[in-house]
Amino acid sequence: MSPGLFTFGETMGLVAADGIGPLGHAKSFSFGIGGAESNVAIGVARLGGEATWLGRVGPDATGALIASRIAAAGVRTLAVTDESFTGLMVRHRRSGEFAQVDYHRAGSAGSRLSPADVPAHELQDASIVHVTGITPALSGTARAAVFQSVETARAAGVAVSVDVNFRAKLWSRFDAAPVLRDLVSRADIVFASPEEAELFVDPGDVAANLAELGPAEVIVKDGGRGCSALIEGVRLSKAALSVTVVDPVGAGDAFVAGYLADRLAGAAPEERLTTAIATGAFAVTVPGDCEGAPTRDDLAALIGDDVRR
């Protein structure tokens, strides 16, 4: 296998109410999987890149489903079986504009990730190591796994990618801010929304303020307004595409996958942003966290043949 993306974190079972409205009025539910890191790995694989995902899962049907689904998507899957349960999230759309997610993950298998779970050679042999700000919020051992892995990758000259991905249901802004700032300062590539970035840098020129912490590639995800970036000192921006939104969940992960897949393919920064915008746009047209991850042909149908590589 050629070097590609290596990522790790918690993937959970996803119980999703079908339709729109209060959870108590839902008539049917679907069951799938969801996790920021595995979403990115699946997105990269769908776009033709090599990707590996590692995580802990429980000795239950949900854990087995997670491992099989990620592997079936073309991702090299390193699932460590833990004696604890596999985490779950329950999601419903209270209205056409807002989705609500409840987590059931305290003490889960995924939260028990530790530095010993992440082999040094996997980090050293990758082209990009991708982590998120979700994993450090899960437990002390998970946080240690993230920081140790980042340092191992950096020592080997491997690019480190960080998606800030602040989750208010996992930790407070006060607790998160110094940890996320420290993590971003160790990254080569960082993704954040303006609101996430302002947890630990001054508002205003968010991209420049993030770049001052150290990352050479800063990408600010701004939803329906598109994105802006400061990459190796060059400012770039892309407008969002106009699409019919079916399910907004997973758009940010799809965006990250598009950018990293193009980076792995050797594309120029502007091309990476074009693909990222298109991948995020395509994802919201399909229900589910990762089910809508597009192929290159899907993106070509959306915006043209320039995304075929």
Side-chain angles (χ1 to χ4, degrees), residues 7-29:
T7 188
F8 60 92
E10 181 174 34
T11 297
M12 297 171 286
L14 169 60
V15 180
D18 298 326
I20 298 174
L23 185 63
H25 293 172
K27 295 180 173 61
S28 61
F29 295 82

Side-chain angles (χ1 to χ4, degrees), residues 37-109:
E37 297 85 4
S38 58
N39 290 348
V40 170
I42 289 170
V44 167
R46 290 268 176 85
L47 292 173
E50 300 287 355
T52 298
W53 171 84
L54 180 148
R56 280 186 172 266
V57 297
D60 44 43
T62 302
L65 176 68
I66 287 169
S68 64
R69 283 272 184 93
I70 297 174
V75 175
R76 179 167 166 259
T77 303
L78 305 176
V80 180
T81 302
D82 188 276
E83 62 184 15
S84 191
F85 64 95
T86 304
L88 289 172
M89 51 183 165
V90 179
R91 188 173 75 222
H92 73 284
R93 294 182 67 184
R94 182 64 181 83
S95 71
E97 298 293 326
F98 302 104
Q100 180 174 330
V101 179
D102 297 319
Y103 295 118
H104 303 272
R105 68 198 306 181
S108 67

Side-chain angles (χ1 to χ4, degrees), residues 131-138 143 146-147 150 162-168 170-187 189-193 195-201 210 213-215:
V131 298
T132 76
I134 297 173
T135 308
L138 298 179
R143 185 178 306 178
V146 169
F147 279 91
V150 165
V162 172
D163 188 352
V164 172
N165 243 332
F166 172 66
R167 293 289 186 268
L170 295 179
W171 52 354
S172 70
R173 297 168 64 89
F174 177 82
D175 290 334
V179 178
L180 295 175
R181 181 184 177 91
D182 191 7
L183 186 58
V184 167
S185 72
R186 301 164 191 256
I189 310 161
V190 62
F191 302 89
S193 70
E195 296 77 18
E196 289 171 335
E198 288 169 14
L199 287 171
F200 53 89
V201 298
L210 285 170
L213 296 180

Side-chain angles (χ1 to χ4, degrees), residues 242-247 281-282 284-286:
S242 179
V243 295
T244 300
V245 177
V246 174
D247 184 355
F282 194 96
V284 304
T285 66
V286 182

Side-chain angles (χ1 to χ4, degrees), residues 271-293:
E271 294 177 87
R272 300 174 207 165
L273 295 179
T274 297
T275 299
I277 285 286
T279 307
F282 194 96
V284 304
T285 66
V286 182
D289 271 37
C290 54
E291 289 80 355

Side-chain angles (χ1 to χ4, degrees), residues 112-120 123 140-149:
R112 289 154 60 98
L113 187 78
S114 73
D117 292 327
V118 189
L123 301 162
T141 60
R143 185 178 306 178
V146 169
F147 279 91
Q148 178 173 298
S149 296

